[in-house]
Amino acid sequence: MGNFYSTGHGTVRLYNYENNRDVELTLQDFLCHVNNDTIEKVYLFKTPLSERQWTNLLFYHAYVVFYTDTPEGACWWSIEKNGEALTVQMSRRMEDVRDKYEDNRRISEGNSWYWKPSLILDDLSSRTFANLYQYLSLYQSLSNNFIDKTCKEFAKIVFDCIAANKRWI
């Protein structure tokens, strides 16, 4: 199970996939990555809000996936907001963070023939995880409460902070 941390502005969930099983990502481990990792690539994905939708052109859940180079090897991360919390997931495999939310498939097996996470935009990055963490902390401290943001608004804030050349309009 993931770890939950209360920030005073809501809940942050940290989730780690290791060897295809859920392993706790402690706050200490997370902060170690924040201090040491460089983000090399960033992706913006969307999934339907409901699998019963015919299209996800207007209504969808947006989230950011990024790749970091670490002293221990490559890591894939997702960061997203929903009605419950901010969630940060980590894995050595992109598929874990792109296709799953807290070890549950984002799209059920029965609908995977039609729906898949869709790439909206991608870009290179030379930002550090610390840059993102500091930006989000500063953004939050300036009374811009993430709880009031939709998943799309939050994904835009994160993507635009990390991306080197592109912005999500």
Side-chain angles (χ1 to χ4, degrees):
M1 284 251 246
N3 283 331
F4 297 82
Y5 298 95
S6 178
T7 64
H9 297 284
T11 302
V12 176
R13 294 180 179 168
L14 302 177
Y15 201 85
N16 184 11
Y17 299 93
E18 189 173 297
N19 299 324
N20 288 331
R21 60 187 182 87
D22 174 26
V23 177
E24 284 188 0
L25 177 61
T26 65
L27 186 57
Q28 181 179 358
D29 292 340
F30 173 70
L31 292 176
C32 183
H33 282 283
V34 166
N35 292 324
N36 295 310
D37 293 9
T38 300
I39 301 170
E40 295 186 358
K41 186 87 174 170
V42 59
Y43 305 84
L44 182 64
F45 284 97
K46 68 179 179 177
T47 56
L49 291 176
S50 165
E51 293 180 34
R52 295 180 187 158
Q53 291 176 224
W54 286 98
T55 179
N56 64 357
L57 187 61
L58 295 176
F59 302 107
Y60 54 86
H61 174 71
Y63 59 101
V64 175
V65 172
F66 55 93
Y67 171 83
T68 62
D69 188 19
T70 72
E72 298 85 34
C75 284
W76 289 93
W77 299 83
S78 69
I79 183 168
E80 61 197 282
K81 180 201 175 288
N82 62 25
E84 299 173 6
L86 291 180
T87 302
V88 178
Q89 299 186 116
M90 172 193 156
S91 179
R92 300 287 177 191
R93 298 171 359 113
M94 180 188 199
E95 297 79 21
D96 288 336
V97 298
R98 182 193 62 204
D99 299 343
K100 297 178 186 175
Y101 178 77
E102 295 187 345
D103 207 27
N104 295 308
R105 293 181 57 83
R106 292 181 185 274
I107 298 167
S108 68
E109 288 285 336
N111 286 320
S112 62
W113 63 273
Y114 185 76
W115 288 118
K116 295 187 179 358
S118 301
L119 180 65
I120 298 172
L121 195 59
D122 66 336
D123 197 7
L124 298 175
S125 179
S126 59
R127 306 285 293 214
T128 64
F129 208 147
N131 294 141
L132 174 61
Y133 185 79
Q134 290 165 353
Y135 180 80
L136 293 177
S137 296
L138 177 63
Y139 187 92
Q140 184 72 18
S141 70
L142 295 174
S143 299
N144 295 305
N145 197 335
F146 290 129
I147 292 173
D148 298 334
K149 302 293 181 201
T150 67
C151 64
K152 291 180 195 177
E153 292 169 325
F154 180 74
K156 177 180 176 24
I157 291 164
V158 172
F159 184 88
D160 290 352
C161 173
I162 298 173
N165 303 305
K166 299 178 183 175
R167 298 292 172 259
W168 186 28
I169 298 177

